Amino acid sequence: MPEPKSAFDATYPCDFYEPAELFESDQMYTVPEIGRLLQGLEPDAEVDPDTEAVLVDWAVPWVMVHSEDMVVAEPLREDGPGYYGLATEGDSDAESDAESEPDADGDEAGADESA
């Protein structure tokens, strides 16, 4: 149920970190670790399961909004989580290489087949 602003002692700006402010440029983070960082906690801080669920709920849309400034890596294990990090100049090389590699038919990936 909505509450009137007058019911609160104070309101604050809804500011969030930018990836460059949050991440170490040489590190990759899981979504739960990103959630902790967004709350000013260490990535490995102990939190109860209910708190972790809320942190993940905050982290997922933040990752989506900031995706242009980030890179993603496959899980280190088959059943492990994905990792996200700050995009740097060297990271774009892998993306452009993947786009120009031939696929199983010998066509370049990302090529327009209607041409």
Side-chain angles (χ1 to χ4, degrees):
M1 178 67 106
E3 297 287 341
K5 283 185 179 179
S6 61
F8 300 92
D9 292 335
T11 60
Y12 307 94
C14 192
D15 292 333
F16 291 98
Y17 294 100
E18 294 295 319
E21 298 172 308
L22 201 64
F23 297 151
E24 297 292 329
S25 62
D26 62 344
Q27 298 293 307
M28 299 289 283
Y29 304 89
T30 65
V31 169
E33 291 169 338
I34 293 169
R36 288 177 178 88
L37 291 170
L38 287 167
Q39 292 299 313
L41 302 171
E42 291 296 320
D44 59 353
E46 289 291 324
V47 295
D48 64 80
D50 290 337
T51 300
E52 177 138 280
V54 172
L55 298 180
V56 168
D57 285 348
W58 279 74
V60 169
W62 183 89
V63 167
M64 294 173 67
V65 166
H66 292 91
S67 64
E68 290 184 12
D69 298 323
M70 297 170 59
V71 293
V72 61
E74 295 291 329
L76 294 172
R77 300 179 323 272
E78 188 173 320
D79 63 342
Y83 286 82
Y84 301 85
L86 183 63
T88 60
E89 281 189 39
D91 296 325
S92 63
D93 295 340
E95 183 178 303
S96 62
D97 288 347
E99 289 177 2
S100 63
E101 290 180 14
D103 63 15
D105 297 331
D107 298 326
E108 284 191 15
D112 184 357
E113 294 185 19
S114 64

PDB file of all heavy atoms in Angstrom, residues 19 23-28 67-73 83-99:
ATOM      1  N   PRO A  19      29.610   0.861 -12.702  1.00  0.00           N
ATOM      2  CA  PRO A  19      30.520  -0.279 -12.629  1.00  0.00           C
ATOM      3  C   PRO A  19      31.966   0.106 -12.297  1.00  0.00           C
ATOM      4  O   PRO A  19      32.621  -0.574 -11.511  1.00  0.00           O
ATOM      5  CB  PRO A  19      30.411  -0.907 -14.025  1.00  0.00           C
ATOM      6  CG  PRO A  19      29.014  -0.586 -14.435  1.00  0.00           C
ATOM      7  CD  PRO A  19      28.776   0.814 -13.904  1.00  0.00           C
ATOM      8  N   PHE A  23      33.616  -2.030  -9.218  1.00  0.00           N
ATOM      9  CA  PHE A  23      34.462  -3.188  -9.506  1.00  0.00           C
ATOM     10  C   PHE A  23      35.939  -2.839  -9.544  1.00  0.00           C
ATOM     11  O   PHE A  23      36.312  -1.755  -9.981  1.00  0.00           O
ATOM     12  CB  PHE A  23      34.122  -3.775 -10.878  1.00  0.00           C
ATOM     13  CG  PHE A  23      32.731  -4.316 -11.022  1.00  0.00           C
ATOM     14  CD1 PHE A  23      32.118  -4.312 -12.262  1.00  0.00           C
ATOM     15  CD2 PHE A  23      32.037  -4.845  -9.956  1.00  0.00           C
ATOM     16  CE1 PHE A  23      30.851  -4.823 -12.428  1.00  0.00           C
ATOM     17  CE2 PHE A  23      30.757  -5.362 -10.111  1.00  0.00           C
ATOM     18  CZ  PHE A  23      30.167  -5.356 -11.355  1.00  0.00           C
ATOM     19  N   GLU A  24      36.759  -3.801  -9.149  1.00  0.00           N
ATOM     20  CA  GLU A  24      38.189  -3.747  -9.433  1.00  0.00           C
ATOM     21  C   GLU A  24      38.319  -4.168 -10.892  1.00  0.00           C
ATOM     22  O   GLU A  24      37.692  -5.140 -11.321  1.00  0.00           O
ATOM     23  CB  GLU A  24      38.963  -4.717  -8.532  1.00  0.00           C
ATOM     24  CG  GLU A  24      38.873  -4.390  -7.057  1.00  0.00           C
ATOM     25  CD  GLU A  24      39.590  -3.098  -6.699  1.00  0.00           C
ATOM     26  OE1 GLU A  24      40.596  -2.755  -7.365  1.00  0.00           O
ATOM     27  OE2 GLU A  24      39.139  -2.417  -5.770  1.00  0.00           O
ATOM     28  N   SER A  25      39.111  -3.457 -11.682  1.00  0.00           N
ATOM     29  CA  SER A  25      39.150  -3.707 -13.125  1.00  0.00           C
ATOM     30  C   SER A  25      39.685  -5.088 -13.493  1.00  0.00           C
ATOM     31  O   SER A  25      39.393  -5.591 -14.572  1.00  0.00           O
ATOM     32  CB  SER A  25      39.971  -2.628 -13.833  1.00  0.00           C
ATOM     33  OG  SER A  25      41.311  -2.660 -13.379  1.00  0.00           O
ATOM     34  N   ASP A  26      40.427  -5.736 -12.604  1.00  0.00           N
ATOM     35  CA  ASP A  26      40.993  -7.044 -12.907  1.00  0.00           C
ATOM     36  C   ASP A  26      40.254  -8.197 -12.227  1.00  0.00           C
ATOM     37  O   ASP A  26      40.751  -9.315 -12.176  1.00  0.00           O
ATOM     38  CB  ASP A  26      42.473  -7.079 -12.524  1.00  0.00           C
ATOM     39  CG  ASP A  26      42.700  -6.872 -11.035  1.00  0.00           C
ATOM     40  OD1 ASP A  26      41.781  -6.401 -10.325  1.00  0.00           O
ATOM     41  OD2 ASP A  26      43.816  -7.179 -10.568  1.00  0.00           O
ATOM     42  N   GLN A  27      39.050  -7.939 -11.717  1.00  0.00           N
ATOM     43  CA  GLN A  27      38.284  -8.959 -11.001  1.00  0.00           C
ATOM     44  C   GLN A  27      36.948  -9.220 -11.696  1.00  0.00           C
ATOM     45  O   GLN A  27      36.418  -8.347 -12.375  1.00  0.00           O
ATOM     46  CB  GLN A  27      38.005  -8.516  -9.558  1.00  0.00           C
ATOM     47  CG  GLN A  27      39.248  -8.303  -8.719  1.00  0.00           C
ATOM     48  CD  GLN A  27      39.979  -9.603  -8.459  1.00  0.00           C
ATOM     49  OE1 GLN A  27      39.391 -10.568  -7.994  1.00  0.00           O
ATOM     50  NE2 GLN A  27      41.262  -9.628  -8.770  1.00  0.00           N
ATOM     51  N   MET A  28      36.417 -10.423 -11.498  1.00  0.00           N
ATOM     52  CA  MET A  28      35.102 -10.807 -11.989  1.00  0.00           C
ATOM     53  C   MET A  28      34.265 -11.203 -10.787  1.00  0.00           C
ATOM     54  O   MET A  28      34.775 -11.782  -9.825  1.00  0.00           O
ATOM     55  CB  MET A  28      35.212 -11.970 -12.978  1.00  0.00           C
ATOM     56  CG  MET A  28      36.030 -11.657 -14.227  1.00  0.00           C
ATOM     57  SD  MET A  28      35.213 -10.516 -15.349  1.00  0.00           S
ATOM     58  CE  MET A  28      34.019 -11.615 -16.104  1.00  0.00           C
ATOM     59  N   SER A  67      24.970  -3.089 -18.573  1.00  0.00           N
ATOM     60  CA  SER A  67      25.584  -4.139 -19.383  1.00  0.00           C
ATOM     61  C   SER A  67      26.588  -3.604 -20.407  1.00  0.00           C
ATOM     62  O   SER A  67      27.556  -4.292 -20.725  1.00  0.00           O
ATOM     63  CB  SER A  67      24.519  -4.980 -20.081  1.00  0.00           C
ATOM     64  OG  SER A  67      23.783  -4.188 -20.996  1.00  0.00           O
ATOM     65  N   GLU A  68      26.396  -2.407 -20.910  1.00  0.00           N
ATOM     66  CA  GLU A  68      27.323  -1.860 -21.899  1.00  0.00           C
ATOM     67  C   GLU A  68      28.699  -1.571 -21.316  1.00  0.00           C
ATOM     68  O   GLU A  68      29.679  -1.494 -22.059  1.00  0.00           O
ATOM     69  CB  GLU A  68      26.751  -0.594 -22.534  1.00  0.00           C
ATOM     70  CG  GLU A  68      25.578  -0.868 -23.439  1.00  0.00           C
ATOM     71  CD  GLU A  68      25.077   0.382 -24.140  1.00  0.00           C
ATOM     72  OE1 GLU A  68      25.771   1.425 -24.105  1.00  0.00           O
ATOM     73  OE2 GLU A  68      23.994   0.311 -24.719  1.00  0.00           O
ATOM     74  N   ASP A  69      28.772  -1.421 -19.999  1.00  0.00           N
ATOM     75  CA  ASP A  69      30.040  -1.127 -19.332  1.00  0.00           C
ATOM     76  C   ASP A  69      30.668  -2.368 -18.717  1.00  0.00           C
ATOM     77  O   ASP A  69      31.653  -2.270 -17.984  1.00  0.00           O
ATOM     78  CB  ASP A  69      29.817  -0.095 -18.219  1.00  0.00           C
ATOM     79  CG  ASP A  69      29.292   1.224 -18.759  1.00  0.00           C
ATOM     80  OD1 ASP A  69      29.715   1.623 -19.860  1.00  0.00           O
ATOM     81  OD2 ASP A  69      28.452   1.840 -18.085  1.00  0.00           O
ATOM     82  N   MET A  70      30.079  -3.533 -19.005  1.00  0.00           N
ATOM     83  CA  MET A  70      30.518  -4.751 -18.346  1.00  0.00           C
ATOM     84  C   MET A  70      30.804  -5.860 -19.352  1.00  0.00           C
ATOM     85  O   MET A  70      30.384  -5.802 -20.496  1.00  0.00           O
ATOM     86  CB  MET A  70      29.426  -5.217 -17.364  1.00  0.00           C
ATOM     87  CG  MET A  70      29.183  -4.227 -16.250  1.00  0.00           C
ATOM     88  SD  MET A  70      27.721  -4.596 -15.267  1.00  0.00           S
ATOM     89  CE  MET A  70      28.108  -6.217 -14.667  1.00  0.00           C
ATOM     90  N   VAL A  71      31.537  -6.874 -18.872  1.00  0.00           N
ATOM     91  CA  VAL A  71      31.763  -8.100 -19.625  1.00  0.00           C
ATOM     92  C   VAL A  71      31.221  -9.250 -18.792  1.00  0.00           C
ATOM     93  O   VAL A  71      31.065  -9.130 -17.577  1.00  0.00           O
ATOM     94  CB  VAL A  71      33.266  -8.327 -19.933  1.00  0.00           C
ATOM     95  CG1 VAL A  71      33.777  -7.268 -20.883  1.00  0.00           C
ATOM     96  CG2 VAL A  71      34.092  -8.374 -18.662  1.00  0.00           C
ATOM     97  N   VAL A  72      30.939 -10.356 -19.455  1.00  0.00           N
ATOM     98  CA  VAL A  72      30.443 -11.548 -18.771  1.00  0.00           C
ATOM     99  C   VAL A  72      31.346 -12.715 -19.147  1.00  0.00           C
ATOM    100  O   VAL A  72      31.890 -12.751 -20.257  1.00  0.00           O
ATOM    101  CB  VAL A  72      28.962 -11.835 -19.144  1.00  0.00           C
ATOM    102  CG1 VAL A  72      28.804 -12.084 -20.623  1.00  0.00           C
ATOM    103  CG2 VAL A  72      28.389 -12.960 -18.319  1.00  0.00           C
ATOM    104  N   ALA A  73      31.537 -13.644 -18.200  1.00  0.00           N
ATOM    105  CA  ALA A  73      32.343 -14.837 -18.460  1.00  0.00           C
ATOM    106  C   ALA A  73      31.520 -16.066 -18.111  1.00  0.00           C
ATOM    107  O   ALA A  73      30.680 -16.033 -17.204  1.00  0.00           O
ATOM    108  CB  ALA A  73      33.621 -14.806 -17.627  1.00  0.00           C
ATOM    109  N   TYR A  83      30.079 -14.943 -14.212  1.00  0.00           N
ATOM    110  CA  TYR A  83      30.830 -13.848 -13.612  1.00  0.00           C
ATOM    111  C   TYR A  83      30.737 -12.611 -14.484  1.00  0.00           C
ATOM    112  O   TYR A  83      30.668 -12.701 -15.711  1.00  0.00           O
ATOM    113  CB  TYR A  83      32.305 -14.247 -13.462  1.00  0.00           C
ATOM    114  CG  TYR A  83      32.530 -15.225 -12.332  1.00  0.00           C
ATOM    115  CD1 TYR A  83      32.309 -16.582 -12.509  1.00  0.00           C
ATOM    116  CD2 TYR A  83      32.946 -14.783 -11.094  1.00  0.00           C
ATOM    117  CE1 TYR A  83      32.499 -17.480 -11.474  1.00  0.00           C
ATOM    118  CE2 TYR A  83      33.144 -15.671 -10.048  1.00  0.00           C
ATOM    119  CZ  TYR A  83      32.925 -17.013 -10.247  1.00  0.00           C
ATOM    120  OH  TYR A  83      33.113 -17.889  -9.216  1.00  0.00           O
ATOM    121  N   TYR A  84      30.743 -11.468 -13.822  1.00  0.00           N
ATOM    122  CA  TYR A  84      30.645 -10.173 -14.492  1.00  0.00           C
ATOM    123  C   TYR A  84      31.787  -9.287 -14.026  1.00  0.00           C
ATOM    124  O   TYR A  84      32.213  -9.369 -12.881  1.00  0.00           O
ATOM    125  CB  TYR A  84      29.315  -9.500 -14.144  1.00  0.00           C
ATOM    126  CG  TYR A  84      28.131 -10.324 -14.550  1.00  0.00           C
ATOM    127  CD1 TYR A  84      27.639 -11.334 -13.725  1.00  0.00           C
ATOM    128  CD2 TYR A  84      27.512 -10.116 -15.779  1.00  0.00           C
ATOM    129  CE1 TYR A  84      26.557 -12.109 -14.099  1.00  0.00           C
ATOM    130  CE2 TYR A  84      26.427 -10.893 -16.171  1.00  0.00           C
ATOM    131  CZ  TYR A  84      25.962 -11.880 -15.318  1.00  0.00           C
ATOM    132  OH  TYR A  84      24.899 -12.651 -15.699  1.00  0.00           O
ATOM    133  N   GLY A  85      32.258  -8.437 -14.915  1.00  0.00           N
ATOM    134  CA  GLY A  85      33.327  -7.526 -14.566  1.00  0.00           C
ATOM    135  C   GLY A  85      33.253  -6.259 -15.376  1.00  0.00           C
ATOM    136  O   GLY A  85      32.409  -6.102 -16.275  1.00  0.00           O
ATOM    137  N   LEU A  86      34.157  -5.360 -15.079  1.00  0.00           N
ATOM    138  CA  LEU A  86      34.240  -4.078 -15.756  1.00  0.00           C
ATOM    139  C   LEU A  86      34.834  -4.272 -17.143  1.00  0.00           C
ATOM    140  O   LEU A  86      35.876  -4.915 -17.301  1.00  0.00           O
ATOM    141  CB  LEU A  86      35.121  -3.129 -14.927  1.00  0.00           C
ATOM    142  CG  LEU A  86      35.282  -1.713 -15.434  1.00  0.00           C
ATOM    143  CD1 LEU A  86      33.935  -0.995 -15.434  1.00  0.00           C
ATOM    144  CD2 LEU A  86      36.270  -0.960 -14.551  1.00  0.00           C
ATOM    145  N   ALA A  87      34.190  -3.745 -18.159  1.00  0.00           N
ATOM    146  CA  ALA A  87      34.719  -3.812 -19.517  1.00  0.00           C
ATOM    147  C   ALA A  87      35.924  -2.879 -19.625  1.00  0.00           C
ATOM    148  O   ALA A  87      35.885  -1.744 -19.146  1.00  0.00           O
ATOM    149  CB  ALA A  87      33.652  -3.408 -20.533  1.00  0.00           C
ATOM    150  N   THR A  88      36.989  -3.383 -20.229  1.00  0.00           N
ATOM    151  CA  THR A  88      38.178  -2.575 -20.473  1.00  0.00           C
ATOM    152  C   THR A  88      38.504  -2.653 -21.953  1.00  0.00           C
ATOM    153  O   THR A  88      37.923  -3.465 -22.685  1.00  0.00           O
ATOM    154  CB  THR A  88      39.368  -3.072 -19.629  1.00  0.00           C
ATOM    155  OG1 THR A  88      39.645  -4.428 -19.984  1.00  0.00           O
ATOM    156  CG2 THR A  88      39.066  -2.984 -18.132  1.00  0.00           C
ATOM    157  N   GLU A  89      39.425  -1.844 -22.411  1.00  0.00           N
ATOM    158  CA  GLU A  89      39.739  -1.798 -23.843  1.00  0.00           C
ATOM    159  C   GLU A  89      40.093  -3.154 -24.424  1.00  0.00           C
ATOM    160  O   GLU A  89      39.653  -3.499 -25.493  1.00  0.00           O
ATOM    161  CB  GLU A  89      40.884  -0.813 -24.087  1.00  0.00           C
ATOM    162  CG  GLU A  89      40.436   0.620 -24.092  1.00  0.00           C
ATOM    163  CD  GLU A  89      41.540   1.544 -24.552  1.00  0.00           C
ATOM    164  OE1 GLU A  89      42.297   1.186 -25.482  1.00  0.00           O
ATOM    165  OE2 GLU A  89      41.632   2.634 -23.979  1.00  0.00           O
ATOM    166  N   GLY A  90      40.874  -3.952 -23.729  1.00  0.00           N
ATOM    167  CA  GLY A  90      41.286  -5.258 -24.233  1.00  0.00           C
ATOM    168  C   GLY A  90      40.161  -6.258 -24.345  1.00  0.00           C
ATOM    169  O   GLY A  90      40.265  -7.236 -25.067  1.00  0.00           O
ATOM    170  N   ASP A  91      39.062  -6.038 -23.627  1.00  0.00           N
ATOM    171  CA  ASP A  91      37.951  -6.984 -23.635  1.00  0.00           C
ATOM    172  C   ASP A  91      37.210  -7.000 -24.959  1.00  0.00           C
ATOM    173  O   ASP A  91      36.623  -8.000 -25.318  1.00  0.00           O
ATOM    174  CB  ASP A  91      36.950  -6.663 -22.520  1.00  0.00           C
ATOM    175  CG  ASP A  91      37.551  -6.823 -21.142  1.00  0.00           C
ATOM    176  OD1 ASP A  91      38.390  -7.724 -20.957  1.00  0.00           O
ATOM    177  OD2 ASP A  91      37.188  -6.037 -20.263  1.00  0.00           O
ATOM    178  N   SER A  92      37.212  -5.932 -25.703  1.00  0.00           N
ATOM    179  CA  SER A  92      36.444  -5.873 -26.953  1.00  0.00           C
ATOM    180  C   SER A  92      37.046  -6.768 -28.025  1.00  0.00           C
ATOM    181  O   SER A  92      36.375  -7.146 -28.957  1.00  0.00           O
ATOM    182  CB  SER A  92      36.344  -4.435 -27.447  1.00  0.00           C
ATOM    183  OG  SER A  92      37.634  -3.927 -27.745  1.00  0.00           O
ATOM    184  N   ASP A  93      38.327  -7.167 -27.884  1.00  0.00           N
ATOM    185  CA  ASP A  93      38.962  -8.032 -28.875  1.00  0.00           C
ATOM    186  C   ASP A  93      38.265  -9.375 -28.973  1.00  0.00           C
ATOM    187  O   ASP A  93      38.034  -9.884 -30.048  1.00  0.00           O
ATOM    188  CB  ASP A  93      40.438  -8.246 -28.536  1.00  0.00           C
ATOM    189  CG  ASP A  93      41.250  -6.969 -28.634  1.00  0.00           C
ATOM    190  OD1 ASP A  93      40.776  -6.030 -29.306  1.00  0.00           O
ATOM    191  OD2 ASP A  93      42.335  -6.911 -28.032  1.00  0.00           O
ATOM    192  N   ALA A  94      37.907  -9.963 -27.838  1.00  0.00           N
ATOM    193  CA  ALA A  94      37.251 -11.272 -27.849  1.00  0.00           C
ATOM    194  C   ALA A  94      35.909 -11.194 -28.541  1.00  0.00           C
ATOM    195  O   ALA A  94      35.521 -12.086 -29.282  1.00  0.00           O
ATOM    196  CB  ALA A  94      37.089 -11.787 -26.423  1.00  0.00           C
ATOM    197  N   GLU A  95      35.173 -10.110 -28.322  1.00  0.00           N
ATOM    198  CA  GLU A  95      33.859  -9.951 -28.945  1.00  0.00           C
ATOM    199  C   GLU A  95      33.987  -9.832 -30.453  1.00  0.00           C
ATOM    200  O   GLU A  95      33.272 -10.476 -31.203  1.00  0.00           O
ATOM    201  CB  GLU A  95      33.172  -8.720 -28.379  1.00  0.00           C
ATOM    202  CG  GLU A  95      31.771  -8.521 -28.923  1.00  0.00           C
ATOM    203  CD  GLU A  95      31.095  -7.324 -28.297  1.00  0.00           C
ATOM    204  OE1 GLU A  95      30.974  -7.266 -27.071  1.00  0.00           O
ATOM    205  OE2 GLU A  95      30.688  -6.444 -29.072  1.00  0.00           O
ATOM    206  N   SER A  96      34.926  -9.030 -30.942  1.00  0.00           N
ATOM    207  CA  SER A  96      35.059  -8.863 -32.388  1.00  0.00           C
ATOM    208  C   SER A  96      35.591 -10.130 -33.035  1.00  0.00           C
ATOM    209  O   SER A  96      35.212 -10.459 -34.145  1.00  0.00           O
ATOM    210  CB  SER A  96      35.947  -7.658 -32.717  1.00  0.00           C
ATOM    211  OG  SER A  96      37.251  -7.847 -32.202  1.00  0.00           O
ATOM    212  N   ASP A  97      36.463 -10.899 -32.333  1.00  0.00           N
ATOM    213  CA  ASP A  97      36.938 -12.164 -32.870  1.00  0.00           C
ATOM    214  C   ASP A  97      35.793 -13.155 -32.998  1.00  0.00           C
ATOM    215  O   ASP A  97      35.682 -13.856 -33.989  1.00  0.00           O
ATOM    216  CB  ASP A  97      38.023 -12.767 -31.962  1.00  0.00           C
ATOM    217  CG  ASP A  97      39.336 -12.001 -32.035  1.00  0.00           C
ATOM    218  OD1 ASP A  97      39.481 -11.168 -32.947  1.00  0.00           O
ATOM    219  OD2 ASP A  97      40.199 -12.231 -31.160  1.00  0.00           O
ATOM    220  N   ALA A  98      34.920 -13.242 -31.998  1.00  0.00           N
ATOM    221  CA  ALA A  98      33.805 -14.179 -32.019  1.00  0.00           C
ATOM    222  C   ALA A  98      32.838 -13.846 -33.142  1.00  0.00           C
ATOM    223  O   ALA A  98      32.264 -14.738 -33.751  1.00  0.00           O
ATOM    224  CB  ALA A  98      33.069 -14.156 -30.681  1.00  0.00           C
ATOM    225  N   GLU A  99      32.662 -12.576 -33.437  1.00  0.00           N
ATOM    226  CA  GLU A  99      31.741 -12.176 -34.494  1.00  0.00           C
ATOM    227  C   GLU A  99      32.264 -12.530 -35.874  1.00  0.00           C
ATOM    228  O   GLU A  99      31.497 -12.725 -36.797  1.00  0.00           O
ATOM    229  CB  GLU A  99      31.466 -10.670 -34.411  1.00  0.00           C
ATOM    230  CG  GLU A  99      30.626 -10.284 -33.218  1.00  0.00           C
ATOM    231  CD  GLU A  99      30.428  -8.794 -33.108  1.00  0.00           C
ATOM    232  OE1 GLU A  99      30.908  -8.052 -33.989  1.00  0.00           O
ATOM    233  OE2 GLU A  99      29.790  -8.360 -32.139  1.00  0.00           O
TER     234      GLU A  99
END
